[in-house]
Amino acid sequence: NAGVTQTPKFQVLKTGQSMTLQCAQDMNHEYMSWYRQDPGMGLRLIHYSVGAGITDQGEVPNGYNVSRSTTEDFPLRLLSAAPSQTSVYFCASKSRGELFFGEGSRLTVL
Amino acid sequence: KQEVTQIPAALSVPEGENLVLNCSFTDSAIYNLQWFRQDPGKGLTSLLLIQSSQREQTSGRLNASLDKSSGRSTLYIAASQPGDSATYLCAVDRGSTLGRLYFGRGTQLTVWP
């Protein structure tokens, strides 16, 4: 049972480039979410999904897109990366109120 | 807006001490409270979940209590060990599927031998 798996673990982008952070879970959880963690800011919710085909914005959605075509996968897309998006990104799924996190993806935008 | 505060921000103790980490929240209309551990460069690991009908949870040397009326939770760690060194975060939510979690900024714990 792998839990929540995120790829890549590390990524360096140039300003304006696009990329997708992948997230997959094998626990059949309906709820999935993306957070970013920044020093002094704590964890902030970017987008979340309550099931396949349903997504919604969190606290800091600007500059990010998501989709949920299957229960297992919840990719996060950066359309045009900016230095302000340098952060550590965490994917999490939730069941019965308990949140389970992936190991994180560390993104640097130059 | 829900605000979650964790005190102290950092704590350094010798091995073997019993210690208490504090978490307070401004809106008492919460449903679940969850404590996490985060090691450097790693994701968050769930330690304890206190659901709406519960007032405390225990797992091994860890005990977490919740007092909604006062807006407080405490995480008690008994007989601390160097392996307990990590950042501990608490988070609260309103319990609905659509509900987001509100996180504190964590307490960085160092247990020295």
Side-chain angles (χ1 to χ4, degrees):
Chain A
N1 190 339
V4 180
T5 303
Q6 291 183 234
T7 57
K9 294 189 184 308
F10 301 94
Q11 183 71 47
V12 179
L13 291 177
K14 295 181 180 178
T15 297
Q17 287 185 318
S18 62
M19 78 156 299
T20 299
L21 300 178
Q22 302 290 345
C23 176
Q25 53 95 7
D26 60 2
M27 297 175 283
N28 203 33
H29 291 168
E30 293 294 330
Y31 183 98
M32 296 184 73
S33 54
W34 277 100
Y35 286 83
R36 58 178 290 175
Q37 186 176 38
D38 303 288
M41 299 294 292
L43 281 148
R44 293 181 290 171
L45 180 66
I46 304 171
H47 284 286
Y48 66 95
S49 168
V50 298
I54 306 171
T55 63
D56 207 344
Q57 297 180 348
E59 183 182 2
V60 288
N62 292 341
Y64 307 96
N65 277 358
V66 292
S67 61
R68 186 91 179 273
S69 57
T70 66
T71 300
E72 294 78 20
D73 300 301
F74 190 44
L76 178 71
R77 297 183 184 84
L78 284 71
L79 301 178
S80 178
S84 62
Q85 293 178 304
T86 293
S87 186
V88 181
Y89 292 85
F90 290 101
C91 178
S93 67
K94 187 167 69 170
S95 176
R96 299 177 185 174
E98 188 170 8
L99 207 62
F100 299 88
F101 280 84
E103 288 288 294
S105 297
R106 185 175 295 274
L107 175 66
T108 301
V109 183
L110 303 175
Chain B
K1 179 185 173 184
Q2 177 74 270
E3 299 283 347
V4 181
T5 304
Q6 291 189 246
I7 295 174
L11 184 62
S12 181
V13 300
E15 181 177 8
E17 280 204 2
N18 301 323
L19 49 97
V20 174
L21 307 182
N22 297 293
C23 172
S24 63
F25 43 93
T26 54
D27 185 353
S28 62
I30 68 164
Y31 197 79
N32 299 317
L33 185 141
Q34 196 167 356
W35 282 93
F36 297 89
R37 167 185 174 138
Q38 185 175 28
D39 294 286
K42 300 291 187 180
L44 281 70
T45 299
S46 177
L47 295 174
L48 293 165
L49 170 68
I50 306 177
Q51 295 181 310
S52 177
S53 60
Q54 301 169 329
R55 297 196 66 177
E56 69 174 330
Q57 280 288 340
T58 298
S59 176
R61 293 182 294 107
L62 305 179
N63 175 273
S65 64
L66 173 61
D67 184 346
K68 291 185 184 179
S69 61
S70 66
R72 294 179 185 175
S73 176
T74 60
L75 178 66
Y76 177 81
I77 303 177
S80 58
Q81 303 171 358
D84 294 329
S85 297
T87 297
Y88 291 81
L89 297 98
C90 68
V92 300
D93 75 12
R94 287 181 171 267
S96 71
T97 302
L98 300 179
R100 57 164 288 193
L101 267 71
Y102 294 85
F103 283 84
R105 296 188 180 179
T107 294
Q108 186 174 357
L109 174 65
T110 302
V111 182
W112 41 276

